[in-house]
Amino acid sequence: MTGLSCPVNAMHKVCLVEYSWDDPYHYDGISEIYCYECKKRFGRWSKKELAEGEKEPRYGIEGYTKRTVDVGTEAREKPI
């Protein structure tokens, strides 16, 4: 995958992390890069080093989280 490598050294082995479906920062794909050799975590979009407990927001945009979908609220015709 192009561009998904360690920002410190592209030759390092990395693990690509996808957040759980119920995580507010869930994205259907990779959100974080963990480098086995640096022992550091980086955001997929921002390439910023993440502190312990910090998450990469969707698309690297601060405050952008998973959309909430209301089930069963679709428009219905009113009876005549």
Side-chain angles (χ1 to χ4, degrees):
M1 293 183 188
T2 308
L4 296 178
S5 59
C6 176
V8 175
N9 184 333
M11 299 304 289
H12 286 176
K13 292 181 183 177
V14 296
C15 175
L16 305 176
V17 179
E18 181 175 348
Y19 299 149
S20 172
W21 68 270
D22 59 349
D23 188 296
Y25 293 106
H26 172 76
Y27 167 78
D28 190 17
I30 308 308
S31 293
E32 185 176 306
I33 302 163
Y34 173 75
C35 179
Y36 287 116
E37 297 181 44
C38 295
K39 306 289 187 220
K40 295 180 180 181
R41 300 167 40 242
F42 300 93
R44 173 192 177 166
W45 296 279
S46 67
K47 298 288 191 259
K48 175 183 122 186
E49 184 177 344
L50 302 173
E52 188 173 332
E54 184 180 9
K55 300 269 184 133
E56 172 80 336
R58 280 180 150 210
Y59 312 113
I61 302 168
E62 206 58 49
Y64 195 110
T65 60
K66 184 175 173 178
R67 286 187 297 171
T68 304
V69 178
D70 292 326
V71 178
T73 59
E74 57 271 355
R76 295 187 183 128
E77 284 188 37
K78 292 183 181 181
I80 297 176

